[in-house]
Amino acid sequence: MARYCLVVNCQTELQAGGDFSALAKKYSDDTGNKDNGGDFGFLVDRSNRDLAAATTSALFQLKAGETSAIVNNGYGLEILKNMNSRATSSVKTGFLA
């Protein structure tokens, strides 16, 4: 329950204009990209086998610069961001989990 509340609070901060990268650095428990402000790099298609299906589905629905609602990927809760500055066929991903 505490983790859920944390993710909801992060979502509220983001909706109020909070900085995604700063929140990811502070709250993410993903050691693979926390120090990079949640930056996970580029995904060029939906077949990335390292990510849960719910994650890739949500990511590829986001427009450049857009942040997702809270996503339950089956392993936990996360907030995703398309960190591209312009529309492309790939998605530069950010995770706040």
Side-chain angles (χ1 to χ4, degrees):
M1 183 66 164
R3 190 74 189 154
Y4 174 79
C5 290
L6 175 66
V7 175
V8 169
N9 287 338
C10 286
Q11 183 72 13
T12 301
E13 277 194 59
L14 288 168
Q15 291 170 340
D19 181 78
F20 185 91
S21 294
L23 290 168
K25 285 180 181 179
K26 186 172 182 179
Y27 296 113
S28 179
D29 61 1
D30 186 338
T31 58
N33 59 37
K34 175 180 183 166
D35 292 338
N36 296 333
D39 190 336
F40 192 74
F42 284 94
L43 297 178
V44 293
D45 61 39
R46 297 172 190 257
S47 64
N48 186 311
R49 296 169 204 261
D50 294 334
L51 300 176
T55 299
T56 54
S57 177
L59 279 169
F60 279 92
Q61 292 179 33
L62 297 173
K63 295 178 178 140
E66 191 173 40
T67 302
S68 73
I70 296 170
V71 176
N72 184 340
N73 68 10
Y75 301 100
L77 302 174
E78 58 192 358
I79 300 170
L80 310 168
K81 182 171 183 174
N82 180 339
M83 298 175 86
N84 282 342
S85 58
R86 57 183 166 69
T88 65
S89 59
S90 65
V91 177
K92 185 168 180 8
T93 61
F95 292 93
L96 196 168

